[in-house]
Amino acid sequence: MSTKVLKDKYDLVSKREYGFLLSAHIAVAISIFFICNTYEADGLTHSFMWFWIRLFIALCIGVLYGYVALLMLKFYYPSQQAKRLKIYRYQPRINPKTGNTMKLLSEEDEDAYLDEGMQAEEDVFSVDYDVWIDVDSGDSHIEKYEGRLHAMECDRCGFQTLRLEKEEITQEASHYEEGELIKHYKCSYCKRIKRRTVKLSMQKSASDFKITEATRFVEDPLSEGPRVVMVKVDIHTTGGQVKNFEFQNLNEAQKFLKEFDLSKLEEEEAS
């Protein structure tokens, strides 16, 4: 409540609120344990067995609260968090200079306000920029959000455009010896090339994963009915992991599938 700027609220909820809530519920569970453990304290003078019974009951109640709270944070909280993040991100901004309500530009129109590095970050889906503009005064405001795909920050240009280009196995892993994999990274903005060596303890390949997608894209599949307002892509792995992505139009979804890097899912599956 003390955070007034909507972008700061978004960052707080998306990055830190879960940790705050989890810590608070753990503290409450510990408090419940101690409170329950004070029930009928006079009974200790009559029976030492009552101490262990009361301790066990208090521990059960505290653990039960903590477990229920953890389930709520795991299954109920994400949907509520997503709704709040959507409100914080798309609620109209107010120009502090004029007091006018600012307008959010579309993906096509915002490129005129982004430099080449910012556009390169959006092209690899590592960062997503929102551009708000005051139509009357022409003032603009740019906000930065995390993208759908992972990309590292380039140590030369400073943009998050360093992505994995290819992987090369220089030594196969066996039951007796570790293998070696070289990952080649390239910055899509300044064209910097980096390499990283990774030790392999077991053999894994991109063929272990599959992408479920439509066989072709059509420009307007609902031309005779409602217009397309959202495109959803579900990526499933053979290990049971599911990733969901949402796009505003078919062009973004098609570009995403071309740029999607299976190595990120592979590392998560291995871990």
Side-chain angles (χ1 to χ4, degrees), residues 247-262:
F247 303 91
Q248 296 180 355
N249 53 58
L250 291 172
N251 291 331
E252 283 191 15
Q254 187 177 23
K255 185 177 180 180
F256 167 80
L257 291 173
K258 290 180 180 180
E259 296 288 339
F260 183 76
D261 186 5
L262 287 173

Side-chain angles (χ1 to χ4, degrees), residues 1-261:
M1 293 177 62
S2 62
T3 305
K4 303 301 181 182
V5 181
L6 292 175
K7 180 60 169 62
D8 294 340
K9 286 180 179 287
Y10 184 98
D11 293 337
L12 178 65
V13 172
S14 62
K15 299 178 181 179
R16 302 173 61 187
E17 187 180 59
Y18 180 86
F20 288 154
L21 292 176
L22 181 61
S23 301
H25 282 299
I26 291 176
V28 172
I30 295 175
S31 301
I32 290 176
F33 164 74
F34 282 112
I35 291 173
C36 293
N37 200 37
T38 61
Y39 179 72
E40 291 292 341
D42 297 337
L44 292 177
T45 60
H46 303 290
S47 173
F48 188 70
M49 183 62 67
W50 172 243
F51 170 79
W52 297 106
I53 295 175
R54 190 186 64 186
L55 184 67
F56 176 75
I57 294 175
L59 182 63
C60 290
I61 295 176
V63 171
L64 179 62
Y65 174 87
Y67 180 70
V68 173
L70 184 62
L71 291 179
M72 293 286 288
L73 289 176
K74 184 176 181 180
F75 297 105
Y76 176 74
Y77 170 76
S79 61
Q80 300 302 313
Q81 181 193 41
K83 292 179 182 179
R84 293 169 60 201
L85 290 177
K86 187 175 182 179
I87 293 175
Y88 292 149
R89 180 168 180 177
Y90 297 111
Q91 182 175 332
R93 305 304 196 245
I94 303 299
N95 189 343
K97 298 179 181 179
T98 63
N100 297 331
T101 300
M102 307 184 77
K103 175 185 176 183
L104 178 63
L105 298 181
S106 64
E107 292 291 334
E108 293 77 13
D109 297 335
E110 70 181 15
D111 289 344
Y113 295 86
L114 303 178
D115 58 35
E116 293 182 359
M118 293 178 177
Q119 295 182 36
E121 288 179 316
E122 285 205 325
D123 289 341
V124 297
F125 293 98
S126 63
V127 175
D128 192 14
Y129 288 98
D130 285 352
V131 178
W132 296 85
I133 185 171
D134 187 341
V135 179
D136 296 334
S137 65
D139 294 336
S140 62
H141 174 65
I142 301 177
E143 296 179 352
K144 181 179 180 179
Y145 297 89
E146 292 184 358
R148 302 182 181 94
L149 294 182
H150 174 73
M152 296 185 297
E153 181 177 335
C154 178
D155 54 358
R156 175 183 293 174
C157 64
F159 294 108
Q160 289 183 249
T161 49
L162 191 65
R163 296 187 65 249
L164 183 66
E165 281 274 298
K166 65 177 181 177
E167 295 179 345
E168 179 184 0
I169 298 178
T170 57
Q171 181 178 347
E172 294 285 349
S174 65
H175 296 289
Y176 309 101
E177 188 177 5
E178 288 185 339
E180 187 177 79
L181 172 71
I182 298 180
K183 294 188 175 184
H184 300 263
Y185 295 87
K186 183 177 181 180
C187 177
S188 59
Y189 177 63
C190 67
K191 308 306 179 183
R192 175 175 175 78
I193 297 177
K194 295 186 69 175
R195 296 176 179 86
R196 191 179 78 174
T197 302
V198 180
K199 296 295 183 180
L200 300 177
S201 58
M202 59 182 300
Q203 294 180 348
K204 283 245 180 217
S205 64
S207 60
D208 294 332
F209 301 90
K210 59 181 179 180
I211 299 180
T212 58
E213 58 172 296
T215 56
R216 65 187 181 88
F217 285 91
V218 293
E219 292 300 327
D220 194 354
L222 302 177
S223 56
E224 298 180 357
R227 304 290 295 179
V228 176
V229 295
M230 181 178 64
V231 179
K232 297 185 67 176
V233 176
D234 296 336
I235 299 179
H236 301 258
T237 71
T238 54
Q241 187 178 358
V242 181
K243 291 288 186 180
N244 309 105
F245 301 93
E246 296 180 359
F247 303 91
Q248 296 180 355
N249 53 58
L250 291 172
N251 291 331
E252 283 191 15
Q254 187 177 23
K255 185 177 180 180
F256 167 80
L257 291 173
K258 290 180 180 180
E259 296 288 339
F260 183 76
D261 186 5

